[in-house]
Amino acid sequence: MLDSAQTHCEACRPPRLALTGRRVWRAVPLVRLLIPRELSPGENRVAATPETTRRLIGRGVQVHVEHGAGEAAGFLDEDYASAGAQLHDGETLPWPEVDGVLCVQPPPLHNVGRLRSGALLVGLLAPYGAMTLSETLLDRQTSAIALELLPRISRAQAMDVLSSQANVAGYKAVLLAAAALDRYVPMLMTAAGTIQPSRVLILGAGVAGLQALATARRLGGVVYVSDVRPAVKEQVESLGGRFIDPPQLEERPEEVGGYAREASEAFLEAQRIQLADQLALADMVICTAQVPGRTAPRLISEAMLDGMRPGSVVVDLAVAQGGNCFGTVPGATVERRGVKLIGAEALPSSVANHASALYARNVAALIEHLLGEEGFRLDSEDPILAGCLLTHQGECLRPDVVGGPEDASSVSATSLRPSEVAQSNAPVPSTPTASLR
């Protein structure tokens, strides 16, 4: 009787469904990724954190991390090991065995030369005019994704490392300026009287500029923002800034792909005159106009600096590309007639923990996008990869970046073989355009 009842109950139960939503662990990893320690001077960031390591391992990726890779950013080896990563000494890193390498700055060329054919290198590879790196990648038949070239489209927002790092730079720039300023930033009412708030001028309303605006407002400053695009006025005002309308000329620079095109000399001259008046009133100035791979536009001349009050501060985020301001020196503070000029080089690296966390999430989102059933899917027709896939299958897919626009225009094919890359070694022009990042 009991057996009959059990049989009836089993027949009444719904059929068991397949556990399709469960994570399936592979005996053989989908891909093997290497996270080396950054060797560039002053670089404290890391390309993967314990959080993103665990995230990638959950997708079937095997992660190899060099001992101490995240130490400068506040991530310990034990945290990586707990997340499932395999740790290696620098001498035993499996460069020839891995399928991909995640980095912040380009690794040394002798390590890139150890990668196997078909491997993938992902990072901020400084691709503009990078002939030596490109030739090494092509010789090894190695693919490379330069994150500086990632398109600014909706699908790629989660992968946009330039925007995430510009956010950090804009925040830190204001803190540097406030620390060097000889005045309070907010308005203070004391028994000795009222202290008026500092006046902040921000050049450029891109990601870094808008973050600088938000940070300066939190500190209590009165913030003015100059940008060549009238369309950003609403964004500036929504953050509590006061927008300076660009010169009213017939010819205005247009925006293409998230960047402002080259302005005419008449427009630039009118803008300089306008800025000279604003600089004379400013206590802090944050310069954010950068052009990837090109010389930064000179927005503040020597004569304009002469009109600034002693004790004021200029922070130049574009100093590594030539600088927006006359007289700035990379990584140094120069005092000129009482005005402090801060060459703010590599600011994201000075906030290494959060900068690494954001960078690693951007890279992890890109890797997840690339993962297929049998490894990486590198389709040059993919809108996300079309612009940032630097080399692939022995071809340079961005000769206009590696060799320079002039040489790129003379090449009829859309890609170059290794023997052809050497013929496109032209200097990158220094056309003044304004970055909106």
Side-chain angles (χ1 to χ4, degrees):
M1 187 72 178
L2 181 61
D3 292 341
S4 176
Q6 289 178 341
T7 302
H8 177 73
C9 289
E10 289 290 339
C12 294
R13 288 176 181 171
R16 294 180 179 178
L17 299 178
L19 299 178
T20 56
R22 288 276 182 91
R23 181 179 296 155
V24 179
W25 296 97
R26 296 170 175 262
V28 178
L30 188 61
V31 295
R32 293 159 295 183
L33 290 177
L34 172 62
I35 317 299
R37 187 171 187 165
E38 295 294 324
L39 299 179
S40 299
E43 183 53 76
N44 298 320
R45 292 171 292 178
V46 65
T49 62
E51 173 200 339
T52 60
T53 296
R54 185 178 293 107
R55 171 177 164 182
L56 291 173
I57 290 175
R59 295 295 302 270
V61 176
Q62 187 181 88
V63 180
H64 300 262
V65 179
E66 182 177 356
H67 278 293
E71 184 176 348
F75 304 106
L76 302 178
D77 289 345
E78 296 79 37
D79 298 328
Y80 286 101
S82 298
Q86 300 182 27
L87 298 173
H88 302 265
D89 293 326
E91 297 77 15
T92 61
L93 288 177
W95 288 90
E97 289 83 32
V98 296
D99 303 296
V101 175
L102 306 184
C103 60
V104 181
Q105 303 289 343
L109 290 178
H110 67 270
N111 285 334
V112 176
R114 296 171 58 194
L115 292 173
R116 68 169 182 82
S117 175
L120 174 65
L121 178 65
V122 179
L124 293 169
L125 303 182
Y128 300 93
M131 294 298 303
T132 306
L133 175 61
S134 179
E135 289 171 356
T136 303
L137 293 168
L138 295 175
D139 288 342
R140 297 298 302 166
Q141 301 279 305
T142 302
S143 301
I145 294 177
L147 297 175
E148 297 96 328
L149 307 176
L150 198 76
R152 302 192 73 186
I153 57 177
S154 298
R155 290 177 55 195
Q157 283 184 350
M159 314 166 195
D160 189 353
V161 301
L162 290 187
S163 290
S164 70
Q165 302 306 292
N167 245 317
V168 178
Y171 161 80
K172 189 61 180 286
V174 173
L175 299 187
L176 287 177
L181 189 63
D182 63 350
R183 296 184 175 186
Y184 282 120
V185 177
M187 182 178 73
L188 294 178
M189 300 182 69
T190 72
T194 301
I195 299 296
Q196 294 301 318
S198 293
R199 182 172 176 132
V200 184
L201 173 62
I202 297 173
L203 305 182
V207 175
L210 291 175
Q211 181 58 252
L213 162 59
T215 304
R217 286 289 299 146
R218 292 188 189 104
L219 291 179
V222 178
V223 187
Y224 291 79
V225 180
S226 173
D227 197 284
V228 298
R229 304 159 302 153
V232 301
K233 180 177 182 179
E234 183 178 349
Q235 299 177 47
V236 169
E237 293 179 344
S238 69
L239 291 172
R242 305 181 186 186
F243 186 70
I244 302 171
D245 291 314
Q248 299 297 316
L249 298 180
E250 293 183 2
E251 294 183 6
R252 292 185 182 181
E254 299 175 355
E255 182 181 340
V256 177
Y259 295 94
R261 272 188 166 179
E262 179 184 3
S264 66
E265 185 56 37
F267 184 92
L268 291 174
E269 182 59 29
Q271 187 182 36
R272 291 189 194 101
I273 295 173
Q274 183 185 61
L275 288 179
D277 297 335
Q278 295 293 332
L279 288 168
L281 301 173
D283 298 305
M284 299 193 301
V285 181
I286 311 296
C287 305
T288 71
Q290 300 180 58
V291 185
R294 301 186 179 187
T295 301
R298 180 57 54 85
L299 303 179
I300 302 177
S301 65
E302 183 178 11
M304 295 164 73
L305 281 177
D306 291 339
M308 296 187 67
R309 75 161 186 87
S312 57
V313 180
V314 178
V315 178
D316 193 346
L317 296 183
V319 66
Q321 289 78 41
N324 295 149
C325 178
F326 172 86
T328 52
V329 178
T333 298
V334 177
E335 188 164 338
R336 180 185 179 281
R337 295 187 178 182
V339 178
K340 293 180 181 178
L341 309 178
I342 301 177
E345 184 180 30
L347 283 189
S349 188
S350 68
V351 193
N353 186 273
H354 278 166
S356 295
L358 296 172
Y359 183 93
R361 291 171 188 170
N362 294 146
V363 174
L366 176 61
I367 294 299
E368 289 172 342
H369 172 74
L370 298 178
L371 287 176
E373 292 297 326
E374 302 298 330
F376 290 128
R377 299 171 300 180
L378 300 179
D379 181 8
S380 59
E381 300 299 320
D382 183 340
I384 293 177
L385 294 182
C388 63
L389 189 58
L390 194 65
T391 62
H392 185 50
Q393 296 180 342
E395 297 183 349
C396 177
L397 305 183
R398 293 300 308 270
D400 56 322
V401 171
V402 173
E406 286 100 345
D407 279 6
S409 63
S410 65
V411 180
S412 57
T414 58
S415 61
L416 294 179
R417 301 286 179 180
S419 60
E420 298 171 323
V421 171
Q423 303 174 12
S424 62
N425 188 11
V428 179
S430 57
T431 306
T433 57
S435 170
L436 308 184
R437 290 203 181 275

